[in-house]
Amino acid sequence: MSIRIMSMVWDAYPSGGSDLLALLALADWSDDEGRCWPSMSSIATKTRLSRSQAQRVVHGLIGAGFLEVIGNEEGGKPGATRQYQINLRALTGRTDATPTGRTHATGSADATGRTHAQDGSHPCGETGRTHATQTISEPSRTVSEPMSIDIGGAQAKPAHIPDCPHQQIIDLYHQALPTGTRVRVWNGTRVKHLQARWREDAKRQDIEWWRRFFAYCAQSEFLTGQTQPANGRDPFVVSLDWLVSPQNFAKCIEGKYHRSAA
């Protein structure tokens, strides 16, 4: 996983919904150059779309110039997958961010219109996600570590605590966790819990902290409903009020919900 590429997608991709989710999924697989080669079935599973929907979303990203096919346009030999390049220049608008690899594949009709490419195994493991999660305060750490210790209330507080920007935080939650329960009503205990999380630590009195927190949550298979529950129960669906309740918030920061199943 490249935290650098994921940060670029979060900061610069202009759309949302399935397009954003798919590009984030590709960034989660990519190296620091923006290259990755997941199968279409893996993309569909990660984004929780059907395979045909995932194909349409990926082809849309290619057509919009945010993604390129740089190898195995037809899927290659059995067991091979397409090789993708996230277009860093499209995300940054910089001429010095030219993606590496086969730059002549950008405008190829084969790279945008084909839906019959073979899918096979991903040569880089797509399971064992204990290394795929960023931390909030130190994004360069590996995901096997929980977020850095966050001791609420033990830090010096500023003379004036800014008001909690509830709507901005709700918007960030919707962007980062589109599969979670959407906020329709925000009052009572919900308001008090979020305000308490905001006020109890000076680091959290920054909207960027919350952006990173939700991005961290979005990389948990449990919090995004990808963990299969026992006894035929429905998958867990996260909600913002659940995340900001005192106990759940602490468990998220400690990395409890980012542990891979044995």
Side-chain angles (χ1 to χ4, degrees):
M1 180 194 80
S2 172
I3 293 175
R4 170 177 173 259
I5 304 301
M6 290 195 74
S7 296
M8 292 174 67
V9 173
W10 276 120
D11 292 341
Y13 186 66
S15 186
S18 298
D19 292 353
L20 175 61
L21 193 60
L23 198 56
L24 285 169
L26 292 165
D28 192 25
W29 279 310
S30 75
D31 58 22
D32 282 339
E33 301 290 340
R35 296 170 301 201
C36 58
W37 42 96
S39 67
M40 190 60 67
S41 298
S42 296
I43 296 172
T45 299
K46 197 175 186 71
T47 56
R48 288 196 279 180
L49 298 171
S50 68
R51 195 175 184 280
S52 61
Q53 288 174 321
Q55 283 180 327
R56 285 195 294 272
V57 170
V58 169
H59 293 158
L61 291 170
I62 293 171
F66 289 99
L67 189 66
E68 302 170 10
V69 177
I70 60 172
N72 292 342
E73 287 89 345
E74 300 294 336
K77 63 183 180 180
T81 60
R82 278 185 171 189
Q83 297 177 12
Y84 297 102
Q85 169 74 60
I86 296 174
N87 191 338
L88 309 187
R89 192 184 329 182
L91 290 174
T92 63
R94 289 163 36 202
T95 58
D96 61 340
T98 304
T100 58
R102 284 175 42 204
T103 57
H104 62 278
T106 305
S108 169
D110 288 340
T112 58
R114 301 289 176 85
T115 60
H116 56 278
Q118 298 177 13
D119 287 317
S121 60
H122 191 303
C124 296
E126 295 172 6
T127 58
R129 291 177 50 84
T130 57
H131 61 285
T133 311
Q134 74 180 70
T135 62
I136 284 186
S137 59
E138 296 181 5
S140 61
R141 289 190 178 182
T142 60
V143 294
S144 57
E145 305 174 53
M147 292 166 51
S148 62
I149 296 175
D150 190 355
I151 306 176
Q155 311 219 358
K157 296 183 179 179
H160 171 70
I161 298 177
D163 292 337
C164 177
H166 290 268
Q167 188 60 57
Q168 286 183 267
I169 292 174
I170 290 171
D171 291 343
L172 289 176
Y173 159 77
H174 284 156
Q175 292 169 17
L177 295 162
T179 58
T181 301
R182 291 191 66 82
V183 175
R184 304 294 185 188
V185 177
W186 195 251
N187 57 19
T189 303
R190 297 177 174 189
V191 170
K192 293 178 180 178
H193 280 168
L194 179 54
Q195 188 161 304
R197 304 293 81 76
W198 172 271
R199 294 176 62 87
E200 66 193 4
D201 193 321
K203 293 194 303 292
R204 302 179 201 157
Q205 293 157 25
D206 180 351
I207 199 67
E208 186 60 31
W209 188 96
W210 290 89
R211 186 191 304 277
R212 294 194 299 270
F213 172 68
F214 291 134
Y216 176 74
C217 293
Q219 295 172 50
S220 162
E221 293 182 359
F222 173 74
L223 295 177
T224 54
Q226 299 178 63
T227 302
Q228 291 300 317
N231 303 322
R233 292 178 295 180
D234 293 334
F236 174 77
V237 179
V238 74
S239 64
L240 180 55
D241 54 306
W242 186 93
L243 282 174
V244 299
S245 66
Q247 290 185 339
N248 295 333
F249 186 81
K251 290 176 182 177
C252 288
I253 289 179
E254 291 167 352
K256 177 177 180 180
Y257 302 115
H258 290 72
R259 300 170 187 170
S260 295

